[in-house]
Amino acid sequence: MADIAKPSKPTDDEQRVGESSTSHVDQYDVPSPSSTKTNLPKVATLALITLCALLGGVTFFIHPRWPNLPWHHHGKTDGVKWPKLNYPHVPLNISQFYNNVAAGPGADFSPHTHGWYCAEHLPTVKFGYDGVEFLLPTNWSDGNPDNVIAKKQLVEVPRDSVGFYREMHILYAGDWIDGESGNRFTFHFEDGSESQVEVSAKNWWTLHWLNQGVIRTPYHHLPGGDVNHNVTQIYHWSAAVPSDSRLLSITLPEAYWPNHLHIFAMTLVPNLIEEQARSAMGNRKGSQEILQNSVIRLVTDAKMIPKDYVPKIRLRRIVPTTKWKILNGVKSYAVEATVVNSLPTLVTPDKHMWIQGPFYLALQGNGFRTVQEGVLNRVMPSDEIKVKIWIALRKGASEYVAGAATFTATDSTGSVVASQSDTWDLSHSFTDSIENRDTPEWWDDAKFGIFIHWSIFSVPAWSPPGWYAAWYWWWMHRWTNEDNGFWRYHRDTYGPDVVYDDFIADFTGAKFNASEWVNLFADAGAKYFVFVTKHHDGFALFDTKDTTHRSSYHLGPRRDFLRELFDAAKAEQPHLYRGTYLTMPEWYNPDAGRTGAGFGDWPGFLAHNAYNDSQLEPYTGHIYGKDYLRDIQLEHMKMLAVNYETEIMWCDIGGPNLTVEFAKEWYPFAESQGRQVVMNNRCGAIPQFDTPEYTKFSSIQTTKWETSEGIDPYCYSYNRRTKDDEYKSAETLLHTLIDIVSKNGNYLLNLGPTGEGEIIEAMQVRVLEVGKWLKHSGDCVYGTTYSFPGAELGRLRFTQTSSRFCIISFDRPRDGYLVIERPIPILKGDRIDLLGAGSSGADLKWWTREGKLVIAVSDEAANLVSWAWAFQIQYDL
């Protein structure tokens, strides 16, 4: 955690940082969770590590893009050409802990539905992903236990290795339906210290949105011979492992209800290329013991560590993407190269153990060329950095880039410092990829968006705490008795003769001002917004033509609110990206039920009057006789894409859909206009980012995600029950945004206007305060990415770019100092500024001592900032 107690000042014989160009410390003591006592002398351990690293070389792993691997679609493994698994890894045999049957006879994976996986679609024996291999059962159909329900079991790490690890990988699934749950793993080290990391566990199947599992089956079994035809999955997750000391064991998370964490496999990635080290001395009996003992005897003198040693540039993975931009008049695609420093954090104090650039990374192949090199500035031990290399396809090249290719890294003089030629299949279609779409670069960089929930439900605008006011119509029909608060409220407030559609007349939008709205979004610091164009009540806020007349254009205010809002954004805030929310099903659209598109809570039949079941409620403006999926759902998606040029298709609920057909037209259409667009994971197909709702992931996610929630503590749309002082504070909003960004996510914050179209002052004041902070400290938010060693430490959060690193404290520094007890990529000559503090926060003094980075912060500087203190380290390049 962040130590904000006053540390001792450096003595005269200690090197100081930030005072002059010659006073920067070149020593960086490594922090650990507690003490750092090891059984080996420290210098011996460093030398052993260095020896192993010296024997290493440049390695590659080409990341398997799951939509292009047949088993990722269908679960089958036969006929698949596996990528090379040449990154060092140690699969753990956890079969002794198996306590659940996930597939085959007698299986009962989920205690909620008693369902189980289809065994015929699961890979057996071994499974490879992200450069590592997992051990799986040889037979899923023998009725034997095949996975572990986590219950704080202690997993021992093999002792026949050097024992420093940088990554833990698991294959897992939760057994609930929707949502995620946090589960903490505990690492135990040789020096007696411990550390924890939390996984946000996704569930084996979801009803309303699509997650991106690495093993996908088309269905799962239910008791009685039934089959659930929702895609059912097993997920991959990885986390950084501290490497200040040897890892001895891992305690699995404790059991949670209702979502149990099922672990199918675990694999560790070492800091060192241990196989190569053993190979160098492996012709003798007991080579591992000889290796360790010989090094211990030889390195009692620190001079045994070569001072001219330079860590190898090692590629952890290469990931082709659909991100593109025009460079030198050529459409160029981003290939993400992840460079790793494979040494453990234990050697961080020795700066010659760092990869120090700048280095310029390039890829060349028969079908493509590098247009813009990726720049690598520095990688500290056990860290990794993603670098974008922009390539262009050569004329006549296949859409699939394959064959011989060469990676090179050059220094500032143009000298090649690393090179390797190899043959691989990038397994990626750059030019005609529909299902395999990455989020655009602009969406990755934007970080903060505004959501607007506004429709007929904004007129009654009521729900009890913990319920969504936008679901007013549905919930008042759910239980038609005194036990239902919605039912009672409607009867007592409006009377039993008033039906939901009677509110259309009161949905006036009289105070709606598109210009004021978009200026508020911009002043709040948002880079995009998403407007609810149609919610589950089927009432649209755009011109629906003759697909239906159930819209604000044909009824009530007779205005195209979406057109007004988008036109204002284009004219007054052109930097704002424009998005549209669209529900896929409608609760009571009779054409949905008639054509078989209804399901679950969206049955697709007219509602019965909540107080007189013999009467049907109207569906005002509905044009009877439509094919719901084609004439309404698909047609509305096309209207938003073509007529309104939406850049974000933010669907909800999923269910029956024609999304793939839509996407085949939308993506090429947008690209023909030079626009890159994005779709969430609730459209029923082609998920580009995950969407946790009123929650957030508790750990770094390597795939993109976006939390959405209201400024209201319980619901998205306006709720007249909520008092002004109950809305989330500016401090809460900022901390939520920063925490999400540090874990590779975006934050979509909802504002709920009244039925007249007014965003009330209590909401405006709070988001404008967020905007003020982002105006001076946004460089630590926009365009950043996560820090591989970890997103947080107590009340600190970390973000970075290729040329700077940010430490954001949720607490005001006390007593003139901020102390950070984890490795930070800071070197002699770097500059630290407290953003928002003007000259008082410029070029702050800093030094390292006892594994801690200490930043001197005056009270004057700290008092100039509120809610979050962003310290930006600008690299000296």
Side-chain angles (χ1 to χ4, degrees):
M1 61 178 292
D3 182 0
I4 54 177
K6 184 176 180 180
S8 59
K9 292 185 177 181
T11 59
D12 290 339
D13 59 344
E14 290 178 323
Q15 292 176 292
R16 299 169 182 264
V17 174
E19 296 182 354
S20 71
S21 60
T22 60
S23 63
H24 286 243
V25 69
D26 198 32
Q27 202 65 26
Y28 188 83
D29 293 324
V30 179
S32 68
S34 58
S35 62
T36 54
K37 298 177 181 178
T38 57
N39 292 338
L40 287 177
K42 188 171 184 179
V43 67
T45 307
L46 298 183
L48 172 59
I49 292 165
T50 304
L51 173 61
C52 295
L54 285 167
L55 295 170
V58 178
T59 60
F60 285 84
F61 177 69
I62 306 307
H63 187 64
R65 302 291 299 184
W66 62 260
N68 291 309
L69 294 178
W71 51 267
H72 282 147
H73 279 301
H74 310 296
K76 296 182 179 180
T77 60
D78 48 297
V80 175
K81 180 181 178 182
W82 294 98
K84 291 184 297 183
L85 299 173
N86 60 351
Y87 203 85
H89 57 277
V90 180
L92 301 181
N93 186 348
I94 60 172
S95 60
Q96 61 181 309
F97 300 109
Y98 285 173
N99 56 9
N100 177 260
V101 183
D108 187 8
F109 179 76
S110 171
H112 311 289
T113 64
H114 301 290
W116 63 93
Y117 288 89
C118 45
E120 64 273 22
H121 288 284
L122 295 176
T124 58
V125 186
K126 293 181 180 181
F127 175 83
Y129 188 80
D130 196 22
V132 302
E133 202 166 57
F134 298 93
L135 301 180
L136 293 176
T138 58
N139 187 347
W140 293 92
S141 301
D142 58 11
N144 291 322
D146 49 33
N147 72 97
V148 181
I149 297 178
K151 296 181 179 180
K152 300 193 72 172
Q153 298 93 332
L154 184 69
V155 179
E156 300 285 346
V157 173
R159 300 298 179 90
D160 60 344
S161 63
V162 173
F164 290 89
Y165 294 94
R166 66 181 310 272
E167 303 168 31
M168 179 185 73
H169 295 251
I170 63 171
L171 296 179
Y172 79 91
D175 58 26
W176 188 227
I177 301 174
D178 288 333
E180 292 83 20
S181 61
N183 299 266
R184 288 186 175 272
F185 290 81
T186 302
F187 301 121
H188 307 278
F189 298 95
E190 187 179 55
D191 64 1
S193 64
E194 295 181 351
S195 70
Q196 290 189 327
V197 64
E198 183 169 322
V199 57
S200 294
K202 300 177 183 179
N203 292 293
W204 66 319
W205 73 282
T206 57
L207 182 61
H208 300 139
W209 51 79
L210 293 177
N211 290 320
Q212 301 182 50
V214 296
I215 299 175
R216 298 160 59 87
T217 68
Y219 57 84
H220 64 266
H221 297 286
L222 295 171
D226 292 334
V227 172
N228 182 320
H229 286 283
N230 285 282
V231 174
T232 308
Q233 311 188 66
I234 294 175
Y235 302 93
H236 166 264
W237 179 78
S238 63
V241 179
S243 51
D244 301 289
S245 179
R246 288 187 175 86
L247 178 66
L248 299 181
S249 58
I250 304 168
T251 297
L252 303 185
E254 60 183 313
Y256 287 97
W257 180 264
N259 188 18
H260 302 103
L261 176 66
H262 294 249
I263 301 174
F264 294 88
M266 298 177 66
T267 294
L268 296 173
V269 171
N271 283 98
L272 312 174
I273 312 302
E274 299 178 24
E275 291 83 351
Q276 295 184 11
R278 284 197 295 267
S279 176
M281 303 184 67
N283 294 327
R284 291 168 286 174
K285 184 178 181 181
S287 58
Q288 181 67 16
E289 181 179 357
I290 292 173
L291 171 62
Q292 295 192 20
N293 291 338
S294 298
V295 170
I296 291 171
R297 290 196 302 269
L298 291 173
V299 297
T300 53
D301 185 347
K303 294 179 181 178
M304 294 299 298
I305 303 176
K307 291 302 181 182
D308 60 348
Y309 168 65
V310 177
K312 306 282 186 189
I313 293 178
R314 186 179 304 281
L315 291 182
R316 175 64 180 84
R317 64 184 67 85
I318 293 180
V319 182
T321 76
T322 55
K323 302 177 194 295
W324 61 270
K325 60 184 178 181
I326 303 299
L327 292 171
N328 301 325
V330 177
K331 188 174 184 180
S332 305
Y333 298 91
V335 176
E336 293 181 348
T338 301
V339 178
V340 60
N341 186 329
S342 61
L343 298 173
T345 53
L346 185 63
V347 303
T348 304
D350 298 289
K351 295 304 185 286
H352 65 289
M353 298 294 184
W354 292 43
I355 297 173
Q356 299 184 46
F359 298 111
Y360 303 93
L361 312 185
L363 290 167
Q364 301 294 339
N366 294 329
F368 64 93
R369 62 183 177 87
T370 293
V371 177
Q372 181 173 294
E373 297 171 320
V375 180
L376 176 69
N377 287 314
R378 67 178 61 162
V379 192
M380 64 181 179
S382 204
D383 200 358
E384 65 178 42
I385 301 294
K386 289 183 179 179
V387 178
K388 288 190 181 76
I389 303 172
W390 294 89
I391 69 169
L393 305 185
R394 298 186 187 278
K395 290 183 179 181
S398 167
E399 65 187 32
Y400 283 89
V401 177
T406 300
F407 162 81
T408 56
T410 57
D411 61 19
S412 57
T413 69
S415 300
V416 176
V417 297
S419 176
Q420 181 171 337
S421 297
D422 211 335
T423 300
W424 65 80
D425 182 356
L426 290 182
S427 298
H428 189 77
S429 171
F430 290 94
T431 60
D432 190 26
S433 178
I434 295 298
E435 292 192 21
N436 185 22
R437 303 290 296 198
D438 297 284
T439 52
E441 197 172 30
W442 69 257
W443 192 92
D444 297 347
D445 293 342
K447 306 303 182 186
F448 184 38
I450 295 293
F451 213 178
I452 295 290
H453 273 65
W454 186 47
S455 190
I456 305 173
F457 48 72
S458 303
V459 176
W462 185 91
S463 67
W467 299 75
Y468 287 166
W471 283 55
Y472 184 93
W473 193 14
W474 175 258
W475 288 123
M476 68 179 286
H477 288 82
R478 188 66 168 174
W479 305 282
T480 54
N481 54 50
E482 294 288 338
D483 294 333
N484 185 344
F486 287 91
W487 187 87
R488 292 197 315 271
Y489 174 82
H490 187 86
R491 180 198 61 192
D492 297 344
T493 306
Y494 304 104
D497 295 329
V498 173
V499 297
Y500 184 78
D501 276 11
D502 290 336
F503 293 129
I504 294 175
D506 298 318
F507 181 65
T508 64
K511 295 183 179 180
F512 170 78
N513 185 308
S515 177
E516 291 180 359
W517 278 24
V518 297
N519 288 325
L520 174 64
F521 302 163
D523 290 342
K527 299 300 183 184
Y528 62 98
F529 66 89
V530 177
F531 182 66
V532 172
T533 65
K534 183 179 69 173
H535 204 258
H536 312 322
D537 59 7
F539 190 83
L541 302 188
F542 62 99
D543 181 4
T544 52
K545 306 299 182 184
D546 287 331
T547 60
T548 179
H549 289 170
R550 187 175 175 79
S551 74
S552 63
Y553 185 80
H554 297 93
L555 303 171
R558 298 187 183 276
R559 293 171 66 181
D560 185 341
F561 291 117
L562 178 62
R563 176 68 66 195
E564 293 179 38
L565 189 64
F566 272 28
D567 284 351
K570 289 179 181 179
E572 301 179 43
Q573 301 293 343
H575 71 282
L576 284 176
Y577 288 90
R578 304 171 301 278
T580 49
Y581 166 109
L582 181 73
T583 182
M584 302 298 278
E586 299 174 20
W587 284 319
Y588 302 121
N589 188 318
D591 283 331
R594 181 182 58 83
T595 58
F599 65 97
D601 288 350
W602 295 264
F605 296 104
L606 292 176
H608 287 259
N609 187 286
Y611 306 95
N612 184 348
D613 189 64
S614 65
Q615 296 180 0
L616 294 175
E617 293 190 16
Y619 208 61
T620 310
H622 172 250
I623 299 175
Y624 184 79
K626 303 289 185 179
D627 179 322
Y628 180 80
L629 292 184
R630 184 161 297 280
D631 299 334
I632 297 176
Q633 183 195 93
L634 177 61
E635 194 60 30
H636 286 179
M637 295 176 81
K638 288 182 176 181
M639 287 179 177
L640 298 177
V642 177
N643 299 350
Y644 296 89
E645 296 183 343
T646 186
E647 291 159 304
I648 306 168
M649 186 61 70
W650 212 104
C651 305
D652 202 5
I653 305 305
N657 66 87
L658 298 174
T659 297
V660 172
E661 181 178 337
F662 162 74
K664 288 180 179 179
E665 298 180 17
W666 183 41
Y667 289 124
F669 169 76
E671 291 192 13
S672 71
Q673 299 180 324
R675 297 185 297 121
Q676 296 186 64
V677 294
V678 66
M679 184 156 51
N680 73 350
N681 67 338
R682 304 188 185 194
C683 298
I686 317 176
Q688 290 181 256
F689 60 91
D690 294 334
T691 53
E693 180 171 310
Y694 262 91
T695 188
K696 57 187 178 180
F697 291 133
S698 55
S699 57
I700 292 170
Q701 308 293 303
T702 55
T703 55
K704 297 302 296 184
W705 61 285
E706 176 192 70
T707 277
S708 68
E709 62 181 11
I711 194 171
D712 185 291
Y714 301 113
C715 65
Y716 290 92
S717 62
Y718 177 67
N719 186 354
R720 63 180 73 252
R721 270 189 75 148
T722 305
K723 299 176 182 178
D724 286 357
D725 61 359
E726 292 177 330
Y727 290 110
K728 293 167 185 167
S729 67
E731 180 180 42
T732 296
L733 298 176
L734 262 176
H735 288 189
T736 301
L737 169 63
I738 294 165
D739 181 71
I740 288 170
V741 170
S742 73
K743 298 175 173 67
N744 201 33
N746 284 17
Y747 187 32
L748 185 61
L749 175 66
N750 187 86
L751 304 178
T754 66
E756 292 182 308
E758 178 187 16
I759 299 175
I760 64 172
E761 183 180 5
M763 296 182 187
Q764 292 196 39
V765 168
R766 286 160 170 78
V767 297
L768 288 174
E769 288 296 328
V770 172
K772 289 179 182 178
W773 188 93
L774 287 169
K775 191 171 183 179
H776 61 66
S777 295
D779 282 350
C780 283
V781 174
Y782 305 124
T784 64
T785 188
Y786 61 91
S787 170
F788 173 78
E792 64 184 278
L793 183 66
R795 298 278 288 171
L796 300 177
R797 298 297 183 270
F798 307 102
T799 63
Q800 65 180 347
T801 70
S802 62
S803 60
R804 62 184 187 270
F805 189 90
C806 289
I807 304 161
I808 308 174
S809 175
F810 291 162
D811 294 328
R812 180 189 179 281
R814 295 199 313 264
D815 299 322
Y817 298 93
L818 180 73
V819 181
I820 302 95
E821 299 186 48
R822 63 152 267 185
I824 299 295
I826 189 168
L827 292 172
K828 178 180 178 180
D830 291 348
R831 169 181 171 140
I832 301 181
D833 297 301
L834 172 58
L835 301 182
S839 59
S840 298
D843 201 9
L844 300 175
K845 297 177 182 179
W846 63 270
W847 62 91
T848 60
R849 184 180 181 186
E850 296 178 356
K852 303 172 184 178
L853 170 63
V854 183
I855 305 173
V857 191
S858 68
D859 287 342
E860 178 187 2
N863 290 337
L864 290 170
V865 181
S866 298
W867 301 311
W869 289 259
F871 295 86
Q872 179 178 261
I873 301 171
Q874 190 69 43
Y875 298 160
D876 180 26
L877 301 174

